[in-house]
Amino acid sequence: MRLVPCPDCGPREPGEFVCLGDSGGHPVGEDGLAEALYGRANAKGPVEELWWHKFGCRRWLKLRRNSATNEFVP
Amino acid sequence: MSGYRLLPLVPDDTVEIDFDGMRLSARRGEPLAASLIANGLSTVARSFKYHRPRGIVGFGSWEPNAVVETPDGIELATNVRAFDGLNARAANCWPSARFDAKSFLGTFSALMPAGFYYKTFRGPGGRLWPLFEPMIRKAAGIGRLPDRPAAETPKRNAHCDVLVIGAGAAGLAAARAVASNASRIILLDEGEAPGGRLLDRPDLRIDGVDGREWARLCAKSLAANGVRVLARTTAIGRYDGGLVVALERSPEGRPARLWKIRAKSIVLATGAIERPLVFPDNDRPGAMLLTAALAFAVRHGVAVGREVVAVADNDAAYDDAVALAMAGVAVRHIVDPRVVPDPELVAKARAAGIECHAEFTPTGIVGSPVRGVRLVGGDSRSRTLDCDVVAMSGGTTPLVHLHSHSGGRLRHVGKLRAFVPDGPHDGAWSAGACNGAASLDEVLRDGSAAGREAARAAGCRVDSTAPPRAEGGDARAEPGSEPLAADVAHRKAFVDFAADVTIDDLRLAAREGYESVELLKRYTTTGMAIDQGRMGNLAAIEALAQAKRVAPGLVGTTTYRPPFVPVPFSTIADTNGTLLRPSRATTLTAWHEAAGAVMYEAGAHWRRPGYYPQAGDTMEAAVRRECRAVRQMAGMYDSSPLGKFEVVGPDAATFLDFVYATRLSDLAPGRGRYALQLHEDGRLFDDGIVFRTAMDRYFVTTTTGNADACHQRFEYCRQILRPELRVGVLNVTEQWADIVVCGPRARAVLADTGLSLPERFPFLGLAACSFAGLPVQVARAGFTGELSFEIFLPASAAPQAWRDLLEAGRRHAIAPVGSEANHVLRIEKGFISVGHEADGICGPDDLGLSFAVHADKPDFVGRQALLRDRASPSGRPQLVGLMARDPQFVLPEGSAVLRAQGDRTRGFVTASCWSDALGRSLAMALIEDGRSLTGSDVTLALADGTAGAQVVPPSFYDPKGERQRG
Ligand SMILES: [Zn+2]
């Protein structure tokens, strides 16, 4: 329920966003394919996440969030 | 308990109310509980489990017993206000609280120990639960909801620098510590007027004035400086990042507004509530909290009884008892289990005419309602004191709930025998009694300090005037070491009144091994009733600590969760008529509704027509008629919810080649192609037709249900995966309406409407046309397998165009067609539907869509996984058609498919219908290696038996597609 810091729009309600988490990116090549598709670290502490400001500027944001406290960290 | 009014009713202020069928006089606006007490009613409720007679115990939201049904809903009698015509009845009893048909349960209560229901009905070998569950469920719960729907509660958002929750001494001191003229401050309090416990204690003085007057003036000057002061408002939850949800009530006590407040800093000055003492029969009507008795007397002019005995183990109770006596209530005795109470306090009490008995412990209650209290002295001598009210005071429970809601830690303070916040948490500072402050001066200093901290953290200036000071001493609310009495000879000593849990229940549970406080709670249900254990939690924790022989701090507390007080669902829910979520309408929805269509909600909350019944029509008849129109003459349907995107830029072609598995870069302008999007794991995500409108511009359609998800993906691919591409994506789903005209006469309908199509207009072509003076785009595409034209036009122009087409189509027997008919038509054609056949597990090859995958492209989303899937293709679910052996029988969708009787499940029916065009039933199914079974028989497992079917290619009608290309 913390406000999400959007560089375009300022701090906004999380309901305006879609959180994709760690997306796994776009796998190219056979190596590491399964890891990219299904492996997630599920780390406690700062994690890198992708957030989409769906009901705002529609920018995809790369944000660092502390998964234990939900605080966004720089 | 024979309550009466200290202040007589005056006619102007008197209202008539109805409680359990009795007509009562009440003072306008007073709590119903005050009216009931003033009218001499002592038994006003029945307990949850044993149906024991119960009276009012607490005040405001701290009432565990008196739940009433009103026409507005289920409420606490302490919160409902008396107004003319109020009609309330006690919940959880029949026919009334005084004569309750289920009171026999109390007689059997010795047979209902902790975990009774689990042990009796669900235990080993217990097969009784299914039999008894309906009866138990019926007997569970408190009260009946009113028949009519609750009025919706307006929601309000607010933002502020500092939010102060609680306008008692601590909250007011905190709000005053912030320079109010330069900051946005919200101060909210549950009470009618600010002051909190100051309101009950005329003897307290702050900065030279009466505490009540100080509170009034303080709130007034704050409001004058721009502080938003909310009365009758309870904070019900605190969440991450300074979000607080609060419920504001009307003067009548009804939910009036739900506040969602975002604050940079929060001061939690929620105070503390009194604890009852645990001794046998402590729940008899007439046994109540001392502070509640005081509040009824001072705030509402109602005496709770003729003769009060206070049973208390802390110093503060002496001041409260004296204040109660000063208010005109006859307090006869104070009984104190401690050996040496403060002699000064004892002298003060004696001066007020109260007899004090040190080293006496309550061992029982005489009568129900209360006629006396039994005591045992330090010398083991017993005695009984006559009274009609036993006013209990067992120390205080700091209200730490809001601190805990979003994860604040607690620590146990032995002196208070209570848990308090272990420092500020996430921008929230606790202050005052909820923070463990035990005297007024401590409360004021704590409040000021928290206010200053909160102001600094929010970047506000701190007020420079001196913080308020209490004058004279007041007693501290620290309890003695409480004796926890056992149930004596089946006489129950209640810990949790609301959940009907006794001290013996807790000890039994501990003996049975429920040693974690969370398990103890769930097993005994302590803390799980309407007051969420506010009143009994600490006693329950102490009981468990004693049983485990550890300190209560090591037992810990259960998890506090919102809402802090019971809140009707209707205050939280947003309702939209009969729908739970807001719905979306196309510009044609109103026409469909006027035409009598049965409306469905489809993908992304769109309201769209399912079918258009004519007079006396069944759904089946309507669907057949609509299908026939499309196959033989002409049909038209509203496809506006379809996802639509403009993809524009020099790299638009490269971009779409990356997003789609289908090659789109070689499309000529004015042409379209059926294209697939895959997930990164190679499974089908979405399908649709992509048109090229210019070398650097595409018009992309997606499925209705995935329109939003496609938008998200397009932007993800554009911004994250391929940021180097010069391309823009615009979601134009709502800007363009989409009317589809289909059937053998479709071209004639368009011609009659004055829509001139290009001379050469092949299948999947797109043309810019003019329609009634409007620029529109027409595509030769559709989902029915017939000659079909999709007219994309500005959404606002759709209603007129729809009527024109319908008018021109009349000569061609055109019919509007709903989604039910579309479903049949697409099954006849074997077209897949995302969500039915593309279920997130199937890849394009499984669905027979390899033709639309161009894996020779160097890269696209899902390519790598797709290639790996192709390397090991066996055992995949594959799309096939099914023809039931009995052509009249429509196979139920979802039926399991077996190769033969006794085989394991190989797949399931994804779609099924009656087809008029083929004169028989049809179905599609996903079956393991299904294509290899073509021509053979399979067995379907039905709810009642089995059915046989033949596996066929999944295209039943015009398999070569000549009609749609014609
Ligand atoms: Zn933004």
Side-chain angles (χ1 to χ4, degrees):
Chain A
M1 300 288 197
R2 284 178 197 281
L3 298 179
V4 181
C6 175
D8 293 332
C9 313
R12 291 300 187 102
E13 289 286 343
E16 295 179 11
F17 294 80
V18 172
C19 178
L20 192 64
D22 169 8
S23 75
H26 174 61
V28 180
E30 186 73 20
D31 292 345
L33 177 63
E35 186 58 26
L37 291 177
Y38 307 115
R40 295 293 181 273
N42 191 25
K44 181 175 180 177
V47 290
E48 291 260 356
E49 289 177 325
L50 285 167
W51 291 69
W52 188 43
H53 200 181
K54 178 176 181 177
F55 299 107
C57 61
R58 293 172 193 160
R59 181 174 338 186
W60 275 96
L61 311 174
K62 284 181 184 162
L63 295 174
R64 274 163 67 79
R65 181 177 63 92
N66 183 327
S67 62
T69 65
N70 284 333
E71 278 165 316
F72 290 98
V73 287
Chain B
M1 192 178 187
S2 37
Y4 60 96
R5 289 196 188 276
L6 296 161
L7 301 168
L9 286 178
V10 285
D12 278 359
D13 254 357
T14 305
V15 293
E16 295 285 304
I17 61 169
D18 190 295
F19 177 75
D20 265 5
M22 292 174 280
R23 299 287 293 169
L24 306 175
S25 295
R27 179 174 285 123
R28 177 176 291 117
E30 73 182 356
L32 172 62
S35 321
L36 300 180
I37 294 170
N39 279 278
L41 297 178
S42 45
T43 300
V44 300
R46 287 283 169 164
S47 75
F48 179 56
K49 195 158 109 188
Y50 304 125
H51 285 251
R52 283 167 72 103
R54 291 279 171 84
I56 305 283
V57 168
F59 187 81
S61 292
W62 328 130
E63 169 55 42
N65 290 332
V67 181
V68 295
E69 296 166 9
T70 76
D72 291 320
I74 298 166
E75 266 292 2
L76 296 175
T78 42
N79 277 340
V80 175
R81 302 279 154 173
F83 281 92
D84 253 329
L86 172 67
N87 190 340
R89 44 168 291 127
N92 207 35
C93 50
W94 186 87
S96 73
R98 283 183 302 167
F99 310 102
D100 175 34
K102 283 190 200 147
S103 55
F104 71 89
L105 283 170
T107 317
F108 295 112
S109 59
L111 305 175
M112 295 168 74
F116 168 74
Y117 289 102
Y118 292 103
K119 287 168 178 163
T120 310
F121 297 105
R122 312 205 70 168
R127 295 179 168 265
L128 295 170
W129 182 249
L131 191 63
F132 282 91
E133 186 184 4
M135 285 157 68
I136 293 167
R137 293 255 180 254
K138 191 162 179 250
I142 299 177
R144 292 165 308 175
L145 287 167
D147 296 333
R148 60 189 170 83
E152 191 173 332
T153 307
K155 315 292 187 288
R156 184 133 178 210
N157 287 291
H159 294 260
C160 63
D161 296 314
V162 182
L163 168 66
V164 180
I165 298 170
L172 288 167
R176 234 180 66 156
V178 191
S180 47
N181 48 8
S183 341
R184 296 174 302 166
I185 306 172
I186 296 177
L187 171 63
L188 59 83
D189 190 271
E190 187 171 61
E192 197 73 37
R197 289 231 53 218
L198 292 172
L199 297 176
D200 300 329
R201 291 283 299 275
D203 56 311
L204 298 176
R205 293 177 68 78
I206 298 172
D207 288 350
V209 292
D210 176 318
R212 295 178 292 185
E213 184 66 1
W214 177 83
R216 194 181 68 79
L217 293 173
C218 190
K220 198 175 149 190
S221 94
L222 288 168
N225 273 324
V227 174
R228 177 180 258 162
V229 182
L230 300 173
R232 297 183 300 272
T233 305
T234 311
I236 57 176
R238 182 173 76 95
Y239 305 86
D240 282 356
L243 175 67
V244 169
V245 177
L247 175 62
E248 181 180 353
R249 288 175 179 277
S250 72
E252 293 81 17
R254 296 191 188 105
R257 199 171 279 123
L258 191 74
W259 289 85
K260 296 174 193 175
I261 305 172
R262 283 272 181 194
K264 288 182 191 159
S265 296
I266 299 170
V267 176
L268 301 170
T270 44
I273 56 166
E274 200 154 45
R275 272 186 261 175
L277 293 162
V278 181
F279 60 95
D281 288 335
N282 60 342
D283 68 324
R284 290 304 183 196
M288 66 187 305
L289 297 175
L290 173 58
T291 47
L294 181 59
F296 281 117
V298 178
R299 299 193 201 182
H300 301 294
V302 169
V304 291
R306 302 273 168 194
E307 283 185 300
V308 177
V309 170
V311 184
D313 67 351
N314 61 86
D315 288 353
Y318 284 77
D319 282 345
D320 286 338
V322 171
L324 184 59
M326 292 302 177
V329 180
V331 184
R332 302 291 188 213
H333 309 270
I334 298 178
V335 177
D336 191 336
R338 296 178 300 174
V339 182
V340 192
D342 184 340
E344 228 177 281
L345 292 172
V346 171
K348 237 162 88 180
R350 291 214 165 110
I354 308 172
E355 245 188 272
C356 297
H357 311 267
E359 227 187 325
F360 269 95
T361 304
T363 55
I365 293 273
V366 184
S368 174
V370 172
R371 291 197 316 274
V373 56
R374 288 199 193 88
L375 310 169
V376 62
D379 53 5
S380 302
R381 267 190 316 149
S382 304
R383 66 180 292 191
T384 300
L385 297 174
D386 291 339
C387 59
D388 60 351
V389 169
V390 174
M392 300 180 281
S393 176
T396 57
T397 299
L399 295 174
V400 297
H401 302 64
L402 291 171
H403 169 80
S404 301
H405 279 174
S406 70
R409 291 184 170 281
L410 301 173
R411 68 190 160 88
H412 190 261
V413 178
K415 219 165 46 162
L416 292 168
R417 294 209 343 255
F419 291 87
V420 300
D422 191 17
H425 175 259
D426 191 23
W429 283 262
S430 292
C434 72
N435 198 32
S439 71
L440 179 58
D441 209 48
E442 266 178 58
V443 165
L444 289 168
R445 274 186 280 129
D446 203 28
S448 295
R452 285 194 298 273
E453 297 278 350
R456 284 194 199 101
C460 300
R461 279 196 301 112
V462 170
D463 189 86
S464 51
T465 54
R469 296 298 306 267
E471 282 168 29
D474 71 311
R476 303 170 63 81
E478 290 160 1
S481 54
E482 183 177 345
L484 287 168
D487 296 13
V488 179
H490 302 309
R491 304 188 63 186
K492 296 182 168 299
F494 282 87
V495 170
D496 186 333
F497 292 61
D500 251 5
V501 177
T502 69
I503 188 80
D504 273 6
D505 286 335
L506 296 169
R507 289 178 176 152
L508 175 62
R511 279 203 306 279
E512 290 179 355
Y514 293 91
E515 291 198 352
S516 145
V517 69
E518 295 283 0
L519 289 178
L520 182 85
K521 165 180 164 173
R522 281 154 185 82
Y523 189 59
T524 62
T525 74
T526 189
M528 290 174 71
I530 51 160
D531 79 338
Q532 292 192 36
R534 266 189 288 277
M535 211 151 270
N537 227 348
L538 289 176
I541 289 163
E542 284 175 346
L544 183 58
Q546 272 189 356
K548 291 175 70 171
R549 295 177 208 287
V550 298
L554 294 175
V555 170
T557 65
T558 53
T559 312
Y560 299 113
R561 293 189 182 87
F564 177 52
V565 294
V567 173
F569 282 124
S570 57
T571 59
I572 297 168
D574 267 312
T575 58
N576 176 10
T578 55
L579 301 175
L580 186 61
R581 288 174 303 213
S583 68
R584 299 164 82 184
T586 74
T587 49
L588 295 171
T589 295
W591 188 93
H592 304 313
E593 281 170 344
V598 174
M599 302 297 281
Y600 290 174
E601 199 193 78
H605 319 320
W606 291 100
R607 299 257 302 150
R608 49 193 322 195
Y611 56 98
Y612 301 83
Q614 290 176 359
D617 249 2
T618 60
M619 173 174 135
E620 287 72 22
V623 173
R624 283 180 185 204
R625 188 183 53 247
E626 293 171 20
C627 288
R628 229 172 11 245
V630 173
R631 291 279 180 245
Q632 295 172 7
M633 304 295 281
M636 57 191 271
Y637 59 93
D638 176 15
S639 195
S640 303
L642 202 71
K644 303 172 215 71
F645 297 86
E646 298 268 5
V647 177
V648 186
D651 295 326
T654 315
F655 174 72
L656 289 175
D657 267 359
F658 177 75
V659 175
Y660 280 84
T662 313
R663 181 177 285 113
L664 295 163
S665 52
D666 62 349
L667 265 181
R671 298 302 307 272
R673 186 171 290 159
Y674 176 71
L676 304 177
Q677 290 185 68
L678 307 184
H679 290 288
E680 282 292 7
D681 66 2
R683 307 301 153 90
L684 184 63
F685 164 59
D686 199 61
D687 67 351
I689 296 172
V690 177
F691 300 96
R692 192 169 205 169
T693 47
M695 284 317 285
D696 63 347
R697 188 176 278 264
Y698 287 82
F699 184 67
V700 175
T701 65
T702 72
T703 62
T704 299
N706 274 340
D708 281 358
C710 285
H711 187 195
Q712 178 182 333
R713 246 170 93 90
F714 293 154
E715 288 295 348
Y716 172 73
C717 292
R718 192 180 72 84
Q719 297 181 35
I720 302 293
L721 298 183
R722 302 298 301 273
E724 78 283 4
L725 296 180
R726 294 160 300 161
V727 63
V729 176
L730 195 61
N731 186 347
V732 292
T733 298
E734 298 193 358
Q735 279 69 25
W736 292 99
D738 179 9
I739 299 173
V740 183
V741 180
C742 52
R745 302 278 190 99
R747 195 176 271 121
V749 173
L750 262 52
D752 284 359
T753 325
L755 188 94
S756 54
L757 298 168
E759 196 82 344
R760 221 185 78 75
F761 194 32
F763 182 57
L764 293 181
L766 181 79
C769 302
S770 159
F771 181 39
L774 278 169
V776 302
Q777 297 190 92
V778 180
R780 265 202 64 184
F783 202 46
T784 59
E786 295 296 333
L787 174 66
S788 178
F789 298 92
E790 289 201 39
I791 307 167
F792 297 102
L793 70 172
S796 58
Q800 186 58 48
W802 180 271
R803 280 191 293 269
D804 290 351
L805 286 163
L806 206 62
E807 181 61 35
R810 194 176 290 174
R811 291 205 299 132
H812 308 283
I814 200 166
V817 172
S819 55
E820 287 287 355
N822 262 298
H823 182 63
V824 171
L825 298 167
R826 74 101 181 165
I827 295 173
E828 288 174 348
K829 285 296 297 173
F831 291 153
I832 67 140
S833 163
V834 168
H836 280 89
E837 287 76 28
D839 55 359
I841 292 170
C842 292
D845 300 346
D846 303 331
L847 297 170
L849 301 174
S850 300
F851 68 90
V853 176
H854 299 125
D856 56 322
K857 285 194 295 179
D859 193 17
F860 55 83
V861 174
R863 180 175 183 268
Q864 202 59 52
L866 182 83
L867 294 180
R868 197 157 83 163
D869 267 6
R870 285 182 172 177
S872 55
S874 121
R876 299 289 312 160
Q878 291 176 335
L879 184 70
V880 294
L882 287 183
M883 303 256 242
R885 281 273 158 245
D886 173 2
Q888 301 298 314
F889 181 59
V890 178
L891 299 168
E893 291 185 357
S895 301
V897 179
L898 290 59
R899 283 197 189 157
Q901 292 253 27
D903 184 29
R904 65 177 172 83
T905 301
R906 303 282 174 173
F908 64 99
V909 175
T910 59
S912 178
C913 69
W914 171 261
S915 163
D916 243 25
L918 284 98
R920 59 156 301 138
S921 70
L922 305 173
M924 291 162 80
L926 282 165
I927 304 177
E928 210 174 277
D929 294 324
R931 283 197 285 270
S932 69
L933 300 176
T934 304
S936 56
D937 279 358
V938 290
T939 300
L940 290 111
L942 309 175
D944 50 353
T946 57
Q950 191 187 23
V951 177
V952 297
S955 182
F956 305 95
Y957 180 82
D958 181 28
K960 289 190 181 144
E962 282 157 355
R963 297 179 72 93
Q964 63 185 5
R965 290 169 189 278

